Amino acid sequence: MNTKKEKKRQFSLTWVDWVLLVLGVSVLLLGWRYLRGRQSVALPTVSVEYLLCLPAVKVEDFDGDVDGLIAKSASVTTANGTASLGRVKRVWSEAHLTPTIKDGAILFVETPGRVDLYVFVEANAVMRQGDGLRVSDIRIAAGGTGDFRIGNFLANGAKVVSVRKGALLS
């Protein structure tokens, strides 16, 4: 048996192997850099204003003083505070109306102790074709609902009533 006399075959790279290895790694790095550069192209930023409705808020929560509850220029964020969604521009309240039927006619009656709060917010958004407006990667669209933190007030189930875009910022 000649197995003891045979040398163990060791793997070693030749200069051709090294050239192919360097070329392969270079192609991978250049491809990665190219793709990364295409993703980081800044999308145009648009100034937007949107109106939030906080329905059926208890009057006892703020004693009728809307400005004491939500201050002008207060920060608007997601419910957990991780993403900034703009600043309060204006706040007002209106009587909360509930539909009822009386003598076969539909009437809207004020609900005692409840009001609808309206919060006008201004923010900077990114507009993507087919995706709409996004503020801090949160889609803001009329008809949507969400949980917002407006100043120190937590607005669960707030409705986005309207969205209006302004001038192009960048």
Side-chain angles (χ1 to χ4, degrees):
M1 306 232 202
N2 294 341
T3 54
K4 289 184 180 178
K5 290 182 180 179
E6 291 178 14
K7 288 186 180 180
K8 257 189 176 179
R9 188 169 187 211
Q10 292 183 353
F11 180 76
S12 63
L13 293 176
T14 64
W15 67 272
V16 175
D17 295 328
W18 282 107
V19 169
L20 290 174
L21 186 62
V22 168
L23 280 174
V25 169
S26 298
V27 167
L28 286 174
L29 287 176
L30 288 174
W32 176 77
R33 186 172 178 188
Y34 172 75
L35 290 176
R36 184 89 165 132
R38 288 194 61 178
Q39 290 175 351
S40 66
V41 173
L43 295 169
T45 303
V46 177
S47 173
V48 295
E49 297 172 331
Y50 59 96
L51 180 62
L52 294 175
C53 175
L54 292 63
V57 176
K58 292 180 185 176
V59 175
E60 63 194 39
D61 287 346
F62 60 97
D63 296 327
D65 180 22
V66 176
D67 293 328
L69 179 66
I70 301 172
K72 187 176 177 183
S73 77
S75 177
V76 178
T77 63
T78 56
N80 59 6
T82 57
S84 176
L85 301 175
R87 294 232 168 253
V88 174
K89 191 172 184 181
R90 186 172 159 224
V91 180
W92 71 93
S93 66
E94 293 180 5
H96 180 69
L97 302 176
T98 305
T100 59
I101 298 176
K102 185 174 182 182
D103 298 329
I106 298 175
L107 299 175
F108 288 92
V109 179
E110 284 187 27
T111 306
R114 301 273 181 172
V115 296
D116 294 337
L117 283 179
Y118 290 92
V119 182
F120 199 60
V121 181
E122 59 184 356
N124 296 327
V126 172
M127 185 169 180
R128 294 183 191 133
Q129 191 66 24
D131 193 27
L133 296 167
R134 290 189 172 268
V135 178
S136 296
D137 209 30
I138 307 289
R139 187 161 190 259
I140 302 293
T145 59
D147 299 333
F148 298 85
R149 182 169 298 282
I150 305 168
N152 292 327
F153 184 74
L154 180 61
N156 289 320
K159 297 176 185 175
V160 180
V161 176
S162 68
V163 180
R164 180 176 65 188
K165 67 179 182 173
L168 201 64
L169 295 177
S170 65

Short mmCIF file of all heavy atoms in Angstrom, two decimals, residues 9-34:
data_model
loop_
_atom_site.label_atom_id
_atom_site.label_comp_id
_atom_site.label_asym_id
_atom_site.label_seq_id
_atom_site.Cartn_x
_atom_site.Cartn_y
_atom_site.Cartn_z
N ARG A 9 -2.35 15.76 -0.67
CA ARG A 9 -2.53 16.79 -1.68
C ARG A 9 -3.09 18.04 -0.99
O ARG A 9 -4.14 17.99 -0.37
CB ARG A 9 -3.49 16.29 -2.74
CG ARG A 9 -3.58 17.22 -3.88
CD ARG A 9 -4.32 16.56 -5.02
NE ARG A 9 -4.23 17.42 -6.15
CZ ARG A 9 -5.12 17.53 -7.08
NH1 ARG A 9 -6.19 16.77 -7.04
NH2 ARG A 9 -4.97 18.36 -8.07
N GLN A 10 -2.42 19.15 -1.10
CA GLN A 10 -2.86 20.39 -0.50
C GLN A 10 -3.41 21.33 -1.56
O GLN A 10 -2.90 21.38 -2.67
CB GLN A 10 -1.69 21.08 0.22
CG GLN A 10 -1.24 20.32 1.44
CD GLN A 10 -0.13 21.06 2.16
OE1 GLN A 10 0.36 22.06 1.69
NE2 GLN A 10 0.23 20.56 3.32
N PHE A 11 -4.43 22.04 -1.18
CA PHE A 11 -5.05 22.98 -2.10
C PHE A 11 -4.30 24.30 -2.01
O PHE A 11 -4.09 24.86 -0.94
CB PHE A 11 -6.53 23.18 -1.72
CG PHE A 11 -7.24 24.13 -2.61
CD1 PHE A 11 -7.62 23.74 -3.88
CD2 PHE A 11 -7.52 25.43 -2.19
CE1 PHE A 11 -8.28 24.62 -4.71
CE2 PHE A 11 -8.18 26.30 -3.01
CZ PHE A 11 -8.56 25.90 -4.28
N SER A 12 -3.92 24.84 -3.14
CA SER A 12 -3.26 26.15 -3.17
C SER A 12 -3.82 26.94 -4.35
O SER A 12 -4.15 26.39 -5.40
CB SER A 12 -1.75 26.00 -3.30
OG SER A 12 -1.43 25.37 -4.52
N LEU A 13 -3.94 28.23 -4.14
CA LEU A 13 -4.48 29.11 -5.17
C LEU A 13 -3.36 29.52 -6.13
O LEU A 13 -2.29 29.93 -5.71
CB LEU A 13 -5.10 30.35 -4.55
CG LEU A 13 -6.35 30.14 -3.71
CD1 LEU A 13 -6.79 31.46 -3.08
CD2 LEU A 13 -7.47 29.56 -4.52
N THR A 14 -3.67 29.47 -7.39
CA THR A 14 -2.72 29.94 -8.40
C THR A 14 -3.05 31.39 -8.70
O THR A 14 -4.06 31.93 -8.25
CB THR A 14 -2.83 29.10 -9.69
OG1 THR A 14 -4.13 29.30 -10.23
CG2 THR A 14 -2.58 27.63 -9.41
N TRP A 15 -2.23 32.03 -9.51
CA TRP A 15 -2.45 33.44 -9.83
C TRP A 15 -3.77 33.62 -10.60
O TRP A 15 -4.43 34.62 -10.47
CB TRP A 15 -1.26 34.03 -10.58
CG TRP A 15 -1.06 33.47 -11.97
CD1 TRP A 15 -0.36 32.38 -12.35
CD2 TRP A 15 -1.64 34.00 -13.17
NE1 TRP A 15 -0.44 32.18 -13.68
CE2 TRP A 15 -1.23 33.18 -14.22
CE3 TRP A 15 -2.45 35.11 -13.44
CZ2 TRP A 15 -1.60 33.42 -15.53
CZ3 TRP A 15 -2.81 35.34 -14.75
CH2 TRP A 15 -2.39 34.49 -15.79
N VAL A 16 -4.18 32.65 -11.37
CA VAL A 16 -5.45 32.72 -12.10
C VAL A 16 -6.62 32.70 -11.11
O VAL A 16 -7.59 33.45 -11.26
CB VAL A 16 -5.56 31.55 -13.11
CG1 VAL A 16 -6.93 31.54 -13.78
CG2 VAL A 16 -4.45 31.61 -14.13
N ASP A 17 -6.52 31.88 -10.10
CA ASP A 17 -7.56 31.82 -9.07
C ASP A 17 -7.69 33.17 -8.36
O ASP A 17 -8.80 33.63 -8.08
CB ASP A 17 -7.27 30.71 -8.07
CG ASP A 17 -7.31 29.33 -8.68
OD1 ASP A 17 -8.10 29.12 -9.63
OD2 ASP A 17 -6.55 28.45 -8.21
N TRP A 18 -6.55 33.77 -8.04
CA TRP A 18 -6.56 35.07 -7.36
C TRP A 18 -7.20 36.15 -8.24
O TRP A 18 -7.97 36.97 -7.76
CB TRP A 18 -5.14 35.49 -6.94
CG TRP A 18 -4.68 34.78 -5.72
CD1 TRP A 18 -3.75 33.79 -5.64
CD2 TRP A 18 -5.15 34.99 -4.39
NE1 TRP A 18 -3.61 33.36 -4.34
CE2 TRP A 18 -4.46 34.09 -3.55
CE3 TRP A 18 -6.09 35.83 -3.83
CZ2 TRP A 18 -4.69 34.04 -2.19
CZ3 TRP A 18 -6.30 35.77 -2.47
CH2 TRP A 18 -5.61 34.88 -1.66
N VAL A 19 -6.89 36.16 -9.51
CA VAL A 19 -7.46 37.16 -10.42
C VAL A 19 -8.98 36.98 -10.50
O VAL A 19 -9.74 37.95 -10.43
CB VAL A 19 -6.81 37.05 -11.82
CG1 VAL A 19 -7.56 37.88 -12.85
CG2 VAL A 19 -5.36 37.49 -11.75
N LEU A 20 -9.44 35.74 -10.65
CA LEU A 20 -10.87 35.49 -10.71
C LEU A 20 -11.58 35.86 -9.41
O LEU A 20 -12.69 36.39 -9.41
CB LEU A 20 -11.14 34.02 -11.05
CG LEU A 20 -10.79 33.60 -12.49
CD1 LEU A 20 -10.96 32.09 -12.64
CD2 LEU A 20 -11.63 34.34 -13.48
N LEU A 21 -10.95 35.58 -8.30
CA LEU A 21 -11.52 35.92 -7.00
C LEU A 21 -11.65 37.44 -6.84
O LEU A 21 -12.69 37.94 -6.40
CB LEU A 21 -10.65 35.34 -5.88
CG LEU A 21 -11.17 35.48 -4.46
CD1 LEU A 21 -12.50 34.74 -4.31
CD2 LEU A 21 -10.17 34.96 -3.46
N VAL A 22 -10.61 38.19 -7.18
CA VAL A 22 -10.63 39.65 -7.08
C VAL A 22 -11.69 40.23 -8.02
O VAL A 22 -12.44 41.14 -7.65
CB VAL A 22 -9.24 40.25 -7.36
CG1 VAL A 22 -9.29 41.75 -7.54
CG2 VAL A 22 -8.28 39.90 -6.22
N LEU A 23 -11.77 39.72 -9.24
CA LEU A 23 -12.78 40.20 -10.19
C LEU A 23 -14.19 39.93 -9.67
O LEU A 23 -15.07 40.78 -9.77
CB LEU A 23 -12.59 39.53 -11.56
CG LEU A 23 -11.50 40.12 -12.44
CD1 LEU A 23 -11.32 39.26 -13.69
CD2 LEU A 23 -11.82 41.54 -12.81
N GLY A 24 -14.44 38.76 -9.13
CA GLY A 24 -15.76 38.42 -8.61
C GLY A 24 -16.16 39.33 -7.46
O GLY A 24 -17.29 39.83 -7.42
N VAL A 25 -15.26 39.57 -6.53
CA VAL A 25 -15.56 40.44 -5.39
C VAL A 25 -15.77 41.87 -5.87
O VAL A 25 -16.66 42.57 -5.40
CB VAL A 25 -14.43 40.35 -4.34
CG1 VAL A 25 -14.58 41.44 -3.29
CG2 VAL A 25 -14.41 38.98 -3.69
N SER A 26 -14.98 42.32 -6.84
CA SER A 26 -15.14 43.68 -7.38
C SER A 26 -16.50 43.86 -8.03
O SER A 26 -17.17 44.88 -7.84
CB SER A 26 -14.04 43.98 -8.40
OG SER A 26 -12.78 43.92 -7.80
N VAL A 27 -16.92 42.88 -8.81
CA VAL A 27 -18.24 42.96 -9.46
C VAL A 27 -19.34 43.01 -8.41
O VAL A 27 -20.29 43.80 -8.52
CB VAL A 27 -18.43 41.77 -10.43
CG1 VAL A 27 -19.88 41.65 -10.87
CG2 VAL A 27 -17.52 41.92 -11.64
N LEU A 28 -19.25 42.21 -7.37
CA LEU A 28 -20.25 42.22 -6.31
C LEU A 28 -20.30 43.57 -5.59
O LEU A 28 -21.38 44.12 -5.33
CB LEU A 28 -19.98 41.11 -5.30
CG LEU A 28 -20.31 39.69 -5.76
CD1 LEU A 28 -19.85 38.69 -4.71
CD2 LEU A 28 -21.81 39.56 -6.00
N LEU A 29 -19.15 44.14 -5.26
CA LEU A 29 -19.11 45.42 -4.56
C LEU A 29 -19.63 46.55 -5.44
O LEU A 29 -20.38 47.42 -4.96
CB LEU A 29 -17.69 45.73 -4.09
CG LEU A 29 -17.19 44.90 -2.90
CD1 LEU A 29 -15.74 45.22 -2.60
CD2 LEU A 29 -18.05 45.15 -1.69
N LEU A 30 -19.26 46.57 -6.70
CA LEU A 30 -19.74 47.62 -7.61
C LEU A 30 -21.25 47.50 -7.82
O LEU A 30 -21.95 48.52 -7.86
CB LEU A 30 -18.99 47.57 -8.94
CG LEU A 30 -17.53 48.04 -8.89
CD1 LEU A 30 -16.85 47.80 -10.23
CD2 LEU A 30 -17.44 49.50 -8.50
N GLY A 31 -21.76 46.30 -7.95
CA GLY A 31 -23.20 46.10 -8.10
C GLY A 31 -23.95 46.55 -6.87
O GLY A 31 -24.99 47.21 -6.96
N TRP A 32 -23.44 46.20 -5.71
CA TRP A 32 -24.06 46.62 -4.46
C TRP A 32 -24.07 48.14 -4.34
O TRP A 32 -25.07 48.75 -3.97
CB TRP A 32 -23.33 46.00 -3.28
CG TRP A 32 -23.86 46.46 -1.96
CD1 TRP A 32 -24.98 46.05 -1.34
CD2 TRP A 32 -23.27 47.44 -1.11
NE1 TRP A 32 -25.14 46.71 -0.15
CE2 TRP A 32 -24.09 47.57 0.02
CE3 TRP A 32 -22.12 48.22 -1.19
CZ2 TRP A 32 -23.82 48.44 1.04
CZ3 TRP A 32 -21.85 49.10 -0.15
CH2 TRP A 32 -22.70 49.20 0.95
N ARG A 33 -22.95 48.78 -4.68
CA ARG A 33 -22.85 50.24 -4.59
C ARG A 33 -23.81 50.90 -5.58
O ARG A 33 -24.44 51.91 -5.26
CB ARG A 33 -21.42 50.68 -4.84
CG ARG A 33 -21.21 52.14 -4.64
CD ARG A 33 -19.77 52.52 -4.72
NE ARG A 33 -19.64 53.95 -4.55
CZ ARG A 33 -18.53 54.61 -4.71
NH1 ARG A 33 -17.43 53.96 -5.01
NH2 ARG A 33 -18.49 55.90 -4.56
N TYR A 34 -23.93 50.36 -6.76
CA TYR A 34 -24.84 50.91 -7.77
C TYR A 34 -26.29 50.84 -7.28
O TYR A 34 -27.02 51.81 -7.35
CB TYR A 34 -24.68 50.15 -9.08
CG TYR A 34 -25.70 50.52 -10.12
CD1 TYR A 34 -25.61 51.73 -10.81
CD2 TYR A 34 -26.76 49.67 -10.42
CE1 TYR A 34 -26.56 52.08 -11.75
CE2 TYR A 34 -27.72 50.02 -11.36
CZ TYR A 34 -27.61 51.22 -12.03
OH TYR A 34 -28.54 51.56 -12.96
#
